[in-house]
Amino acid sequence: MRISVSSDMDEPVARLLVGELRARGHEVRAYGALDPGADAQWAVCSERAAREVAEGRADQAVVCCWTGTGASIAANKVPGVRAALCADAYTADGARRWNDANVLALSLRLTSGPLLGEILDAWFAAGPSEDAEDRDNVAHVERLDEDRRAAR
């Protein structure tokens, strides 16, 4: 799987994330502080990683900043992206299952190495729900993106 990763800071957990994804066999493209010389502002690097997903150049993305909030907000401004800020494995599972999230947002401050492994395990083990209500909700979010595009 092709995964875009961004971080506004070169923190140990961000480097661990890239290494862990590669160890799991994923092709990783790094943005922000993980790409020397690149713009590391959380809004800029999160948008770049998310745009890779929206435009089909990546299957998923993981965006990081100190709290994870800014990275998730920036990623969610990209039409076609459903970013979820996940601080635990249960939330990661639900984000993939019920929300069909395609971008994982993480806090550099709160995510330890062991917790990162649990979140990634849950994220990759879960798939989108086939439940009609869940699919209807995701379709509604997709229509919101279409409305935003049309308003431009």
Side-chain angles (χ1 to χ4, degrees):
M1 186 179 301
R2 293 169 300 156
I3 301 177
S4 295
V5 176
S6 71
S7 181
D8 66 338
M9 297 165 45
D10 185 9
E11 289 288 312
V13 72
R15 290 189 303 276
L16 181 62
L17 169 64
V18 171
E20 180 65 25
L21 291 172
R22 287 185 174 138
R24 292 173 183 237
H26 300 293
E27 177 186 331
V28 176
R29 179 154 182 186
Y31 291 93
L34 301 172
D35 180 17
D39 191 335
Q41 294 180 84
W42 58 262
V44 174
C45 64
S46 297
E47 184 248 343
R48 287 189 176 143
R51 195 162 298 285
E52 292 284 308
V53 174
E55 294 176 358
R57 292 188 303 271
D59 301 299
Q60 294 181 3
V62 183
V63 296
C64 307
C65 69
W66 192 241
T67 65
T69 306
S72 66
I73 290 170
N76 275 316
K77 295 297 183 183
V78 177
V81 167
R82 291 176 302 282
L85 175 56
C86 299
D88 57 68
Y90 183 81
T91 304
D93 174 79
R96 288 287 299 132
R97 186 179 318 279
W98 302 312
N99 311 126
D100 194 9
N102 52 11
V103 174
L104 171 63
L106 296 173
S107 166
L108 295 170
R109 182 179 76 83
L110 296 177
T111 309
S112 66
L115 180 58
L116 174 65
E118 292 172 11
I119 290 170
L120 293 176
D121 287 345
W123 181 266
F124 291 119
S129 169
E130 295 300 323
D131 179 79
E133 183 176 339
D134 295 334
R135 299 308 314 152
D136 285 347
N137 276 302
V138 171
H140 183 83
V141 171
E142 290 171 342
R143 285 191 298 277
L144 292 172
D145 279 340
E146 292 168 12
D147 291 349
R148 190 169 16 157
R149 282 188 197 113
R152 289 183 179 174

